[in-house]
Amino acid sequence: MSSHVIKRWEPENPAFWQKEGARIANRNLWISIPALMLAFSVWMLWSVVVVNLDKAGFTLSKNQMFWLTALPALSGATLRIFYSFLVPIFGGRKWTAISTASLLIPAFGMGFALQDPTTSYPTLLALALLCGLGGGNFSSSMANISFFFPKAKKGLATGLNAGIGNLGVSLVQFVVPVVITGAFLGGFGGDGHVFVKDGVEKTIWLQNAGFIWVPFIAVAALAAWFGMNDIADAKASFADQAVIFKRKHNWLMCWLYIGTFGSFIGFSAGLAMLTKSQFEGINPTTYAFLGPLVGALTRPIGGWISDKVGGARVTLWVFVAMIMAVLGVLQFLPHGGVGGNFYGFLAMFIVLFALTGIGNGSTFRMIPVIFLTERQRAANGKGDKAQKQALLDAGKESAAVLGFSGAIGAYGGFFIPKSFGTSIDLTGGVDAALYAFIAFYLSCVVITWWCYARKNAAMPC
């Protein structure tokens, strides 16, 4: 057996945890975090590249550009469904290294394709789909990290992994506008494209948006391969994990996670284009990184608070506050081309992002608690062996649900930008889409309160 495979792993045993468990778990966590951050950066590349395509000589319609921002979320969400179950099959170390290395495909692909403005639209669509490889990595990463930590520390650990990982969204929206302004990669990056703005000739190296990530991806993949571990007890076939499809709480948590993470990734993908369509004269890339940055930073806070007061209580109030924030967005939008306040609009979206981050942390704190409680209840009165098996089963099920709910939630990254586009096509504005979001958040309030947060709830968490 490889030296990277851990045969005995008992994070709920205080003596084991203090002696060696914490050190191993934290090493795996801090190698996982930058790999996941790069995955998010690659996943969201098109959200910032698309608003610069015209400067590089590409001529696309607004609808074509919306598709380029939406497709990575669609493929990423779909890949997450499969990635959810791969860590217990292949091992966390192996799969983290392989899935991180796979990001080289869209990074190189976009680098070469964006050098040539005659690149066909189907090729750009294919590259947008390949960027979904970055989105898939989240589910396997979260499932893997959940195995390493005890119940009392899962909220903070998964919050750090996801929260700092989510910073990749903000990172790509901050870094790309900078690196495309110069020949930072020398001869390797190729020639720039000249465009005219306000009568002045300028040059853009849009291909740098892809090439800049290549060395970092290579280092992260090697670090995962040589520095992480596989847990022998975490091995499980797809059939073993498929039991989650029979668990009611799996589907309820998927619904809630669409509300939190689906909103985070959907707003991240669509905010730049929404700003461009609603507020003329505003450069959307100047502010696009702020919301995802705040959402990523508040995610660990959501996990930490939930460790203290319970995930359900935090999640309930997050959805109530999100409804109020969307109503605020509606107040600051222009209507019929009249009125509107961009800075009020931006402030409300930053509040929304902060709330989605807290909600992402609190919902992912709820999941392991729910499935540990459910399995322990089923094992009550059946002896120590049954209780020990309940801990193993709960770990495998909660890891699978963390991954699967992450997959379902990620579809928000497709539907939110498309909802904005559809609402504009049908009504001339985005109000209809925002009212639909409010209705969805109301359903999340009801589910959270009834199933998890109210007094005498069936599954308090």
Side-chain angles (χ1 to χ4, degrees):
M1 187 176 285
S2 167
S3 61
H4 293 284
V5 178
I6 300 173
K7 299 178 184 178
R8 173 180 174 245
W9 189 251
E10 299 176 6
E12 300 294 345
N13 180 334
F16 173 85
W17 180 254
Q18 290 177 12
K19 183 180 178 182
E20 56 184 314
R23 174 178 54 82
I24 295 171
N26 285 318
R27 185 183 72 244
N28 279 267
L29 173 64
W30 289 105
I31 293 174
S32 172
I33 284 172
L36 185 57
M37 185 187 296
L38 288 167
F40 270 98
S41 292
V42 171
W43 193 21
M44 288 289 109
L45 260 176
W46 282 102
S47 69
V48 64
V49 166
V50 75
V51 295
N52 291 289
L53 285 172
D54 55 341
K55 298 174 185 176
F58 292 85
T59 52
L60 302 176
S61 70
K62 191 172 289 187
N63 188 47
Q64 285 177 316
M65 290 192 288
F66 266 120
W67 272 106
L68 288 172
T69 61
L71 279 182
L74 184 64
S75 59
T78 304
L79 285 172
R80 283 185 176 199
I81 295 173
F82 300 100
Y83 280 33
S84 304
F85 305 101
L86 293 179
V87 166
I89 295 172
F90 289 96
R93 175 187 70 92
K94 294 189 192 74
W95 188 249
T96 301
I98 292 168
S99 60
T100 300
S102 74
L103 303 177
L104 291 169
I105 300 170
F108 272 120
M110 287 185 69
F112 289 118
L114 295 175
Q115 287 178 323
D116 183 4
T118 65
T119 299
S120 69
Y121 183 62
T123 299
L124 298 180
L125 289 175
L127 287 167
L129 287 168
L130 283 170
C131 283
L133 289 167
N137 287 11
F138 175 82
S139 284
S140 53
S141 179
M142 294 299 285
N144 182 47
I145 290 304
S146 74
F147 282 116
F148 281 95
F149 287 85
K151 174 183 174 181
K153 298 183 182 296
K154 283 185 191 291
L156 180 59
T158 57
L160 285 170
N161 190 51
I164 303 177
N166 286 172
L167 278 173
V169 179
S170 186
L171 183 68
V172 73
Q173 294 177 338
F174 179 79
V175 168
V176 168
V178 174
V179 300
I180 63 177
T181 61
F184 294 102
L185 303 178
F188 176 78
D191 297 328
H193 301 275
V194 177
F195 68 98
V196 177
K197 182 178 181 181
D198 300 327
V200 179
E201 280 196 354
K202 297 185 177 183
T203 306
I204 187 171
W205 286 262
L206 195 55
Q207 62 269 30
N208 289 357
F211 286 141
I212 192 67
W213 308 103
V214 169
F216 301 103
I217 292 168
V219 170
L222 289 170
W225 184 262
F226 290 107
M228 294 184 75
N229 297 101
D230 299 315
I231 299 175
D233 284 346
K235 290 285 186 178
S237 67
F238 174 76
D240 293 333
Q241 300 172 78
V243 68
I244 67 166
F245 298 123
K246 300 177 183 178
R247 307 292 192 217
K248 175 182 73 173
H249 294 290
N250 172 46
W251 300 106
L252 292 175
M253 292 309 301
C254 283
W255 189 266
L256 298 183
Y257 201 60
I258 292 172
T260 58
F261 183 77
S263 297
F264 170 82
I265 205 66
F267 294 145
S268 297
L271 184 57
M273 282 297 293
L274 178 64
T275 301
K276 192 172 185 177
S277 69
Q278 298 298 303
F279 294 95
E280 290 185 14
I282 298 291
N283 181 356
T285 61
T286 303
Y287 305 96
F289 74 95
L290 289 173
L293 173 64
V294 171
L297 292 175
T298 57
R299 181 163 189 157
I301 296 172
W304 179 76
I305 296 173
S306 298
D307 282 338
K308 305 294 183 185
V309 304
R313 185 181 301 177
V314 176
T315 302
L316 178 69
W317 287 108
V318 160
F319 283 123
V320 171
M322 285 175 71
I323 292 170
M324 303 304 294
V326 175
L327 289 171
V329 170
L330 283 160
Q331 292 302 309
F332 290 112
L333 277 171
H335 294 90
V338 179
N341 183 312
F342 171 71
Y343 293 103
F345 164 87
L346 179 64
M348 286 297 99
F349 258 108
I350 289 175
V351 170
L352 263 176
F353 273 107
L355 291 167
T356 64
I358 294 170
N360 288 338
S362 63
T363 49
F364 264 34
R365 164 60 175 157
M366 291 168 67
I367 288 170
V369 174
I370 289 168
F371 285 87
L372 179 59
T373 302
E374 196 170 49
R375 299 280 59 77
Q376 286 180 327
R377 285 178 180 176
N380 277 345
K382 297 180 181 178
D384 292 342
K385 186 176 180 181
Q387 285 292 336
K388 188 173 182 180
Q389 187 61 43
L391 288 174
L392 291 173
D393 291 344
K396 292 174 183 177
E397 287 187 24
S398 61
V401 173
L402 286 170
F404 185 70
S405 61
I408 300 304
Y411 281 107
F414 173 76
F415 287 112
I416 285 180
K418 287 307 295 175
S419 295
F420 288 144
T422 301
S423 180
I424 290 170
D425 285 345
L426 296 179
T427 68
V430 296
D431 291 27
L434 292 168
Y435 282 117
F437 300 160
I438 288 173
F440 184 84
Y441 297 150
L442 276 171
S443 75
C444 293
V445 169
V446 172
I447 290 171
T448 306
W449 177 79
W450 180 258
C451 297
Y452 306 113
R454 68 185 172 93
K455 188 177 181 180
N456 299 321
M459 186 61 70
C461 55

